[in-house]
Amino acid sequence: MRGRPAALVLALCAALVAVVTVLGAAGAAQAAGYRYWSFWQSDGGSWAYATQGPATARPADGTVDGFRFSVSADSQDSAKPRTAPGFAALCADTPAKPGTKRVGVVIDFGSATDAPSGETPPVSPRTGCAQVRTDASSAEALAAVAKPLRYNADALLCAIAGYPGTGCGEQVSAGAPGAPESSSAPSESASSSSSSSSSSSAEESDGGPSLSVLSGVAAVLALGAAAFWQSRRRG
């Protein structure tokens, strides 16, 4: 009889350890970021995270679009382009033409730390002045100055000027920027070419345990309850 309470205590302790382990794993998963091109806009020297994707954004004449390749979890910690030249500097050598607009474009390829394994980003940002029709989108302005572009099947912008050569929106473990775990599309407003692109996989986490984590915890607690009930029956 004395051994049964001890066995019950051990079973409950094991269940508690399992719960802590599951929650710890959940925290690590939620800390993961994504490697992708974020999309920014400027009207005079400072960057603001774009509220639309490049395909639906219609920049006005005299504005500047920016793109930055980096690893980040969401728009709150996304890295801005590291240079912010004004429109006048970018389009000084591009005279205005009737029926067109001019849009400055800044492309920051990011750091070696954020680069996919085996790839080296261009050292210097690329800038240009896109002269496009008045109703052109930001995606069209980008294509005018930074081909080749690469998109995935979900219309997510994967590469600008051919960089990176492979991959698109990979999930990256916290503390290991060079180790993608799986493919998932980041926020549509970051770098998708379509307003209907899927973005739930990058945004669905709200900081709490996921459904699969809660299911695992429930299973562990059920095992502990079963051990308790079995002990009482035998007692």
Side-chain angles (χ1 to χ4, degrees):
M1 295 292 292
R2 292 182 179 177
R4 291 175 183 172
L8 175 59
V9 170
L10 288 175
L12 292 177
C13 286
L16 180 59
V17 170
V19 169
V20 172
T21 301
V22 170
L23 290 178
Q30 291 166 2
Y34 296 85
R35 180 185 289 115
Y36 66 99
W37 282 101
S38 57
F39 175 42
W40 304 80
Q41 294 177 312
S42 171
D43 59 2
S46 62
W47 294 114
Y49 198 84
T51 58
Q52 300 182 65
T56 56
R58 295 291 189 273
D61 181 77
T63 57
V64 179
D65 286 347
F67 297 84
R68 169 70 190 268
F69 190 77
S70 66
V71 173
S72 60
D74 52 40
S75 61
Q76 299 302 313
D77 72 345
S78 187
K80 300 178 181 180
R82 289 168 290 183
T83 182
F87 172 80
L90 292 170
C91 293
D93 298 328
T94 305
K97 290 182 181 180
T100 68
K101 64 182 176 183
R102 293 171 297 165
V103 179
V105 180
V106 176
I107 304 158
D108 188 333
F109 297 94
S111 67
T113 301
D114 291 337
S117 178
E119 301 231 26
T120 302
V123 175
S124 301
R126 177 180 294 190
T127 60
C129 182
Q131 191 160 48
V132 291
R133 68 181 190 278
T134 55
D135 64 343
S137 67
S138 290
E140 291 171 302
L142 175 64
V145 299
K147 289 182 179 179
L149 306 180
R150 177 168 57 86
Y151 293 90
N152 70 2
D154 295 321
L156 183 72
L157 178 60
C158 305
I160 297 176
Y163 180 81
T166 60
C168 193
E170 300 93 346
Q171 187 176 351
V172 179
S173 298
E181 293 183 333
S182 63
S183 178
S184 182
S187 165
E188 174 272 325
S189 64
S191 55
S192 170
S193 71
S194 170
S195 60
S196 62
S197 298
S198 171
S199 62
S200 61
S201 56
E203 297 179 326
E204 64 185 2
S205 173
D206 62 359
S210 66
L211 179 60
S212 60
V213 171
L214 293 177
S215 298
V217 172
V220 169
L221 293 178
L223 288 174
F228 175 76
W229 177 250
Q230 188 70 12
S231 175
R232 291 197 59 174
R233 287 186 62 187
R234 292 178 179 176

